């Protein structure tokens, strides 16, 4: 946890409450000092006062959200700054506390913010896992195609069968689309050479999707 407030008493009190709740806490008295602290080790949650000398809390919140998007930000504000605090919610701030607030209100906000942080971390890991899976599938697809010579309908079918070995529904779907496409081509009066080209294109219409992770397709 990071507590940023230019009032020593408020900053120390919030830090003490959070430590009693079992959190590791660092603190800063202004926005520039806070940015130095988060640069190398972004906190899970940052509590920022709005009114501070120099750069204010809204400026700091924007910088933290931009540079460390997995850090949840809570704004602390006086009663006259509620409008600014509410506006900050539209820019990724998770919650705001109106001074004076008690320990329970602080705890509720921090728990909510920490859950948000954990969700953001999980989402990033999921995206990274999807990217790894997609690159692996793309490489396998590229290798398979590069190793085949496609010069007849039979070799085209063999390639499609090999590429969809793990998903037989995709193989059947390709032939259903090919049948519909050729039927439409005949209704349109296209010649046999064009119909054959359309059929082959239809068989391969989902080729790129084979490189996409199943979790994403679902």
């Amino acid at each position: 946890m990071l507590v940023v407030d230019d009032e020593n008493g408020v900053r120390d009190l919030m830090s003490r409450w959070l430590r009693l709740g079992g959190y590791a806490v660092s603190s800063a008295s202004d926005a520039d000092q806070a940015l130095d602290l988060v640069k190398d080790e972004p906190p899970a949650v940052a509590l920022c006062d709005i009114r501070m000398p120099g750069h204010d809390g809204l400026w700091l919140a924007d910088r933290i959200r931009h540079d460390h998007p997995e850090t949840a930000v809570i704004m602390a504000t006086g009663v006259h700054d509620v409008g600014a605090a509410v506006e900050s919610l539209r820019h990724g701030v998770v919650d705001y506390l109106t001074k004076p607030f008690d320990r329970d209100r602080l705890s509720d906000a921090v728990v909510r913010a920490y859950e948000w942080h954990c969700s953001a971390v999980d989402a990033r890991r999921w995206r990274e896992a999807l990217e790894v899976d997609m690159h692996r599938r793309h490489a396998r697809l590229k290798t398979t195609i590069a190793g085949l010579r496609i010069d007849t309908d039979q070799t085209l079918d063999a390639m499609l069968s090999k590429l969809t070995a793990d998903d037989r529904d995709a193989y059947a779907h390709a032939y259903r689309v090919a049948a519909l496409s050729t039927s439409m081509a005949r209704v349109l009066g296209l010649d046999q050479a064009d119909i054959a080209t359309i059929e082959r294109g239809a068989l391969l219409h989902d080729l790129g999707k084979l490189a996409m992770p199943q979790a994403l397709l679902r």
Side-chain angles (χ1 to χ4, degrees):
M1 304 290 155
L2 172 65
V3 177
V4 188
D5 198 304
D6 62 310
E7 296 184 51
N8 295 337
V10 174
R11 185 175 69 250
D12 293 344
L13 180 61
M14 284 196 291
S15 298
R16 185 165 65 252
W17 280 349
L18 290 171
R19 289 191 180 97
L20 289 173
Y23 298 105
V25 183
S26 58
S27 63
S29 60
D30 58 45
D32 292 326
Q33 184 183 6
L35 287 180
D36 287 338
L37 289 174
V38 304
K39 181 169 56 178
D40 298 323
E41 189 175 356
V45 179
L47 295 95
C48 306
D49 187 33
I50 286 186
R51 288 185 177 272
M52 295 186 293
H55 297 298
D56 65 14
L58 295 177
W59 179 89
L60 175 60
D62 283 341
R63 288 293 303 273
I64 291 176
R65 295 292 301 121
H66 179 271
D67 297 339
H68 310 287
E70 294 171 8
T71 294
V73 178
I74 300 171
M75 301 304 303
T77 171
V79 66
H80 299 298
D81 295 321
V82 171
V86 172
E87 178 65 23
S88 72
L89 294 177
R90 302 179 185 177
H91 300 283
V93 172
V94 176
D95 201 351
Y96 72 89
L97 302 169
T98 304
K99 297 177 181 179
F101 51 83
D102 59 21
R103 182 176 171 182
D104 289 339
R105 178 69 183 94
L106 174 64
S107 178
D108 289 343
V110 168
V111 167
R112 186 180 303 110
Y114 187 70
E115 289 174 350
W116 185 96
H117 162 75
C118 291
S119 294
V121 172
D122 289 342
R124 173 181 54 79
R125 290 173 177 168
W126 186 72
R127 289 194 303 271
E128 290 173 348
L130 285 180
E131 288 178 1
V132 170
D133 190 14
M134 185 175 67
H135 288 308
R136 178 181 59 81
R137 287 171 173 270
H138 183 270
R140 184 176 66 180
L141 180 64
K142 184 177 180 180
T143 300
T144 301
I145 294 174
L148 296 173
R149 181 176 179 179
I150 310 301
D151 52 8
T152 66
D153 288 340
Q154 288 73 27
T155 54
L156 176 62
D157 177 76
M159 181 191 75
L160 188 62
S161 179
K162 184 174 183 179
L163 292 174
T164 60
D166 296 333
D167 186 1
R168 301 313 296 173
D169 288 341
Y171 180 84
H173 170 70
Y175 273 93
R176 287 195 299 271
V177 172
L180 288 169
S181 301
T182 55
S183 294
M184 292 176 64
R186 291 189 183 96
V187 170
L188 292 171
L190 300 182
D191 60 37
Q192 191 56 42
D194 287 338
I195 291 174
T197 299
I198 288 171
E199 181 179 21
R200 295 177 188 122
L203 287 172
L204 298 174
H205 80 280
D206 267 346
L207 188 63
K209 194 169 75 173
L210 297 176
M212 298 183 69
Q214 289 298 312
L216 187 59
L217 294 176
R218 295 192 198 103

